[in-house]
């Protein structure tokens, strides 16, 4: 095939005929020759006479041009013109399949996998050795080339990573490539990375490089920023320039503990803008539940930002003593209120008033002891996980609390009286704070030189004191002590909460220390505030490449210094990380993270994931040539004087009829002759059908899937189906097919009223439609395929649905099954709901439901991909990994058998005559 841009020719040698056109032009212009002029006096006798037949002395130039163009169209038609020709990928050398494999690739991962499977099939037919590598998981031992069949089994185990490739790893791997020639198919995620061009240069030096890149836009969320009760998120996008709207959801548990979208806001991108802002304003009760924000319909790790407990406005109870009515500047609660009010919800009052609200923190400022009932209640509250924060003062120093024995609500025993520094009767000069030890929650905070302490209550020495001191003065005396009580903590500041004994309450350090104590009780803060060298952090949960939270089992801890300036990688995944009681949220995209498009060399060959359909153009060229010939006939009749009505009409009718026949599509010419034969074929044997979506890759898998299922039915049952056929609900008769497989794609057109009526009649007369969204619910209920399904089903008479019950006939129509996997494994499969009030007969394992077949089955497990086989009977797409994958495919095939048996036999297995046999099989 010869290709010129998007136009190709299957027989390019025919184009040589175009060079003959100038010669033909000269010949036609020369014949007939011009007449010779002679003087003949008798010619005057002929003047005034008219000849019936006129003949021009030479062919007019415009008629000659018309004939040349018609002849050129005929030549082009015979040359086999094709629009968007698919160049055959030839070659017999090694081939590297290189994936970016990052979170950005997750947005089109399914299409990438389908493209990989298609390419592997082509490569396998050519017998080329293949190697597979991902930039997020580069092989350490170099490339290993193997057969395409061996590599095909590995595809299912490859998933997008929740991070971007490391530029250093890319550079190191590129430098270490073996000196070996091979071609490369590079599947790009569309993002710019350092050293990408260097890697391209290294690969291009070893062979041809073809880049496959999706055109779908990419979206990302930066971490949330709070301003009082307002929460702001910055959204970024790539590869989209038009105005559009997106939906951002705040996800968290409902009162029953089930994760739901607590609220959703709509944000708009202006034309040409790559950023926009989403704002949330929620009450504290809802805000405290939020665990993450997500962009609806975007299943990538970058479209999720975790918050952990970071948005919780903690409830802090300030307990005032009965006799603590003093001016504001002397009130110990005044400074605490001003420091905490912007970030927390504050309760003030006696213990018995605030404790029923279950605050997160309770603060006692210079309160010596509590009433017995209050003390018991507070102790139980602390043991259940509360934080009791106490401040010293004159009253506590003068009391006997925690002198002889340690009080349950005190962190240490105290000496009698107190310690005064800097006065005439003092023990010495005011003392500054000692730098915080690395075991202290205050570690990393800078101690100002102007903060000093003039008085304090002194801890009684003891063996446990050293472990409880978390802040001390420069002479080593404790300033802040802490002890654990049950699941909670008791913390004592050995100085006042006002400026009476120290100027700590007037400094910024005081607020930072309060924040750290809040962190120690579970509150999430900025990474720079808590991720500190010398600490070890472990993940509670992490995100996968699709942005789904997964358990973080088996992950090693990391040093806090790494989290101070985090770059997500294989050993530092986005997620919720914990160090004891401290918790932080690590997100993929940090503030001001710009999504930059990949910049490829001008010479790079770039293709999309989608296979462009070839369009033969020969018919159009022949049709245009025929039109020109019609015009030539009419012009010739006019020039020769034979353009009478009868002659013109006859010529027009003949040529027009030929033109009409030739202009019809090839399928239309044969339609009338094949309609009856198609109906006879469909009704002579059991024939399954699939809905043609317009996506050639999806339609190919649908046909191959039903072909594979038919093969299994032939081998295992008495059903011997014919080859499956594709149907269009808009035009085709559906009554011939008992089962209709309908894969959902986002680009399917809406159904017309005629198609809706045809589908409703099909379901009413016993047909079954399986709607397969093919996404296993990964994108949530608002995924593009789910939304398209809702639009398609809006006019259909679909009955009430329910998840497949345990006693449904699908679980036993041929095999005994508990689940119904396809290429994916999901339990979210819906069938027609059983009539209300139907219950199993006593002693029977299932209900007696034998009235018919469910007209619809709705799921997303991509069953056709699990069933699909090629012409040689080999499975086309991988399912799972290893023995677990083989088992999953087998269960998918068994479900297909059960499904067809249910379609063909109805609910007869619900008849109680089958109960003994089923019970015996269940027992075995």
């Amino acid at each position: 095939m010869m290709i010129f841009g998007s136009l190709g020719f299957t027989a390019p040698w025919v184009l040589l005929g175009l060079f003959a056109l100038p010669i033909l032009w000269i010949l036609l212009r020369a014949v007939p020759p011009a007449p010779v002029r002679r003087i003949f006096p008798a010619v005057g006798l002929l003047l005034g006479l008219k000849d019936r037949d006129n003949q021009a002395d030479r062919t007019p130039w415009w008629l000659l041009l018309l004939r040349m163009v018609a002849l050129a169209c005929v030549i082009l038609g015979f040359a086999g013109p094709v629009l968007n020709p698919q160049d055959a990928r030839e070659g017999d050398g090694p081939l590297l399949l290189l994936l970016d494999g990052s979170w950005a690739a997750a947005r089109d991962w399914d299409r990438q996998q389908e493209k990989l499977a298609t390419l592997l099939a082509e490569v396998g037919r050519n017998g080329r050795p293949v190697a597979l590598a991902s930039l997020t998981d580069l092989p350490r031992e170099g490339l290993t080339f193997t057969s395409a069949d061996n590599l095909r089994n590995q595809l299912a185990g490859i998933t997008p990573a929740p991070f971007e490739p490391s530029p250093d790893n890319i550079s190191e791997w590129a430098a270490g490539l073996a000196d070996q020639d091979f071609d490369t198919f590079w599947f790009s995620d569309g993002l710019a990375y350092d050293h990408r061009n260097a890697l391209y240069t290294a690969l291009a030096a070893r062979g041809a490089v073809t880049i496959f890149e999706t055109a779908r836009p990419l979206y990302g969320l930066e971490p949330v920023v709070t301003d009082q009760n307002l929460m702001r998120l910055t959204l970024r996008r790539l590869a989209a320039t038009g105005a559009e709207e997106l939906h951002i959801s705040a996800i968290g548990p409902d009162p029953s503990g089930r994760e739901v979208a607590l609220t959703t806001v709509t944000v708009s991108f202006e034309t040409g803008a790559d950023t926009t802002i989403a704002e949330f304003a929620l009450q504290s009760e809802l805000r405290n539940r939020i665990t993450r924000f997500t962009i609806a319909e975007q299943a990538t790790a970058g479209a999720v930002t975790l918050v952990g407990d970071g948005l919780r406005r903690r409830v802090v109870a300030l307990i005032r003593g009965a006799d603590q009515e003093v001016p504001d500047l002397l009130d110990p609660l005044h400074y605490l209120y001003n420091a905490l009010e912007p970030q927390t919800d504050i309760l003030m009052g006696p213990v018995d008033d605030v404790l029923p609200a279950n605050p997160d923190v309770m603060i006692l400022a210079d309160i010596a002891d509590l009433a017995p009932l209050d003390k018991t209640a507070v102790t139980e509250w602390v043991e259940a996980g509360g934080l009791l924060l106490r401040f010293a003062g004159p009253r506590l120093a003068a009391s006997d609390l925690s002198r002889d024995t340690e009080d349950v609500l005190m962190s240490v025993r105290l000496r009698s009286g107190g310690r005064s520094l800097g006065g005439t009767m003092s023990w010495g000069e005011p003392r500054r704070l000692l730098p915080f030890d690395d075991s202290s929650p205050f570690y990393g905070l800078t101690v100002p030189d102007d903060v000093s302490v003039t008085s304090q209550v002194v801890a009684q020495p003891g063996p446990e004191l050293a472990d409880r001191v978390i802040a001390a003065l420069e002479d080593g005396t404790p300033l802040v002590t802490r002890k654990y009580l049950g699941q909670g903590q008791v913390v004592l500041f050995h100085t006042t909460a006002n400026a009476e004994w120290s100027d700590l309450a007037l400094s910024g350090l005081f607020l930072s220390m309060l924040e750290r104590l809040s962190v120690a009780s579970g509150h999430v803060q900025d990474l720079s505030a808590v991720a500190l060298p010398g600490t070890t952090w472990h993940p509670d949960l992490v995100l996968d490449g699709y942005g789904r939270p997964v358990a973080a089992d088996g992950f090693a801890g990391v040093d806090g210094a790494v989290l101070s300036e985090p770059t997500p990688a294989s050993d530092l995944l986005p997620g919720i990380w914990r160090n004891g009681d401290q918790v932080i949220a690590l997100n993929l995209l940090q503030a001001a993270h710009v999504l930059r498009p990949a910049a490829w060399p001008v010479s790079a060959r770039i293709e999309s994931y989608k296979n462009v359909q070839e369009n033969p153009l020969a018919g159009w060229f022949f049709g245009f040539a025929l039109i020109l010939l019609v015009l030539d006939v009419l012009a010739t009749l006019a020039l020769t004087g034979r353009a009478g009505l009868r002659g013109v009409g006859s010529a027009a009718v003949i040529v027009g009829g030929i033109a009409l026949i030739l202009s019809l599509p090839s399928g239309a010419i044969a339609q009338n002759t094949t309609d009856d034969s198609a109906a006879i074929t469909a009704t002579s044997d059991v024939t399954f059908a699939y809905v043609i979506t317009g996506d050639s890759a999806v339609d190919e898998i649908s046909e191959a899937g039903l072909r594979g299922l038919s093969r299994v039915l032939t081998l295992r049952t008495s059903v011997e189906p014919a080859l499956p056929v594709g149907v269009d609900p808009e035009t085709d008769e559906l009554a011939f097919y008992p089962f209709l497989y309908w894969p959902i794609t986002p680009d399917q057109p809406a159904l017309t009223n005629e198609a809706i009526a045809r589908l409703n009649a099909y379901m009413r007369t016993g047909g079954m439609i399986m709607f397969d969204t093919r996404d296993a619910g990964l994108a949530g209920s608002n995924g593009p395929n789910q939304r398209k399904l809702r639009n398609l089903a809006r006019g259909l008479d679909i009955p009430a649905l329910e998840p497949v019950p345990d006693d449904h006939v699908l679980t036993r129509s041929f095999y005994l099954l508990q689940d119904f996997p396809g290429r994916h494994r999901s339990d979210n499969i819906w069938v027609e709901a059983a009539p209300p009030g139907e219950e199993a007969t006593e002693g029977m394992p299932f209900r007696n439901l034998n009235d018919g077949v469910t007209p619809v089955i709705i799921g997303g497990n991509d069953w056709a991909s699990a069933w699909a086989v090629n012409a040689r009977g080999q499975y086309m797409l991988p399912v799972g990994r290893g023995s677990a994958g083989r088992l999953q495919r087998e269960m998918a095939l068994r479900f297909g058998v059960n499904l067809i048996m249910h379609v063909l036999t109805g609910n007869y297995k619900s008849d109680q005559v089958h109960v003994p046999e089923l019970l015996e099989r269940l027992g075995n």
Side-chain angles (χ1 to χ4, degrees), residues 775-799:
D775 56 9
L778 296 181
S781 60
N782 272 331
N785 290 359
Q786 286 92 342
R787 289 189 291 109
K788 174 57 67 175
L789 174 59
R790 288 196 294 269
N791 291 336
L792 291 173
R794 185 170 291 123
L796 300 179
D797 294 334
I798 295 179

Side-chain angles (χ1 to χ4, degrees), residues 191-256:
L191 288 179
Y193 304 125
D194 293 338
H195 305 298
R196 185 192 282 275
N197 286 341
L199 177 58
Y200 176 87
T201 302
L203 295 174
R206 289 163 173 79
V209 179
T210 302
I211 299 165
F212 296 91
E213 195 168 83
T214 179
R216 289 190 176 182
L218 178 66
Y219 302 91
L221 268 180
E222 293 184 3
V224 62
V225 177
T226 59
D227 181 10
Q228 299 292 334
N229 291 326
L230 194 64
M231 296 169 286
R232 293 189 179 91
L233 296 103
T234 298
L235 280 76
R236 297 188 178 274
R237 68 174 178 174
L238 178 69
T241 57
E244 63 177 330
E245 290 186 346
L246 292 177
H247 304 288
I248 314 300
S249 298
I251 308 299
D254 63 8
S256 65

Side-chain angles (χ1 to χ4, degrees), residues 28 81 104 117 235 275 382 389 395 416 472 491 558 573 596 598 611 623 638 718 755 761 810 829 832 891 907:
L28 292 177
L235 280 76
T275 61
V382 173
L389 182 59
R395 294 175 182 80
S416 299
V491 178
V558 299
L573 299 181
R596 296 181 294 118
N611 293 322
S718 60
L810 279 173
I829 303 170
E832 181 181 10
M891 299 308 293
N907 284 344

Side-chain angles (χ1 to χ4, degrees), residues 584-802:
I584 59 174
L586 172 61
N587 289 295
L588 175 65
L589 301 185
Q590 300 301 314
H593 188 114
V594 179
L595 301 177
R596 296 181 294 118
W600 300 101
V602 177
S603 60
R605 178 180 178 179
I606 303 177
E607 299 183 16
S608 66
Y609 290 165
K610 187 175 182 180
N611 293 322
V612 181
Q613 186 175 2
E614 291 184 347
N615 295 308
L617 300 179
W620 292 98
F621 280 102
F622 288 138
F624 186 63
L626 189 58
I627 293 174
L628 295 179
L629 291 178
V630 171
L631 295 177
D632 178 83
V633 170
L634 297 176
T636 301
L637 292 175
L639 291 175
T640 59
R642 293 185 291 233
L645 180 61
R646 184 175 179 180
V648 174
S650 300
V653 169
I654 294 173
V655 177
I658 298 173
L660 179 61
I661 294 174
L662 294 180
S663 63
L664 288 174
S666 58
I669 298 175
Q671 183 67 41
N672 292 333
T673 61
T674 59
D675 277 348
D676 292 342
S677 61
I680 294 173
T681 302
T683 53
S684 298
D685 295 299
V686 176
T687 305
F688 307 136
Y690 63 91
V691 173
I692 299 174
T693 65
D695 188 321
S696 59
V698 174
D699 295 340
E700 180 184 354
I701 294 300
S702 298
E703 181 181 9
L706 293 182
R707 183 170 61 239
L709 180 58
S710 300
R711 174 172 167 268
V712 171
L713 287 166
T714 301
L715 294 174
R716 304 185 185 185
T717 72
S718 60
V719 180
E720 298 182 359
L723 291 177
V725 298
V727 296
D728 183 354
E730 300 287 347
T731 58
D732 294 331
E733 177 58 56
L734 305 178
F736 305 139
Y737 313 105
F739 174 70
L740 185 61
Y741 177 76
W742 194 328
I744 304 299
T745 61
D747 302 326
Q748 292 181 29
L751 296 174
T752 63
N753 292 333
E754 291 77 7
I756 292 175
R758 186 176 285 107
L759 289 166
N760 285 336
Y762 174 75
M763 291 187 289
R764 285 195 300 269
T765 55
M768 175 191 285
I769 304 176
M770 170 182 272
F771 294 100
D772 190 352
T773 59
R774 304 178 301 113
D775 56 9
L778 296 181
S781 60
N782 272 331
N785 290 359
Q786 286 92 342
R787 289 189 291 109
K788 174 57 67 175
L789 174 59
R790 288 196 294 269
N791 291 336
L792 291 173
R794 185 170 291 123
L796 300 179
D797 294 334
I798 295 179
L801 302 176
E802 66 176 354

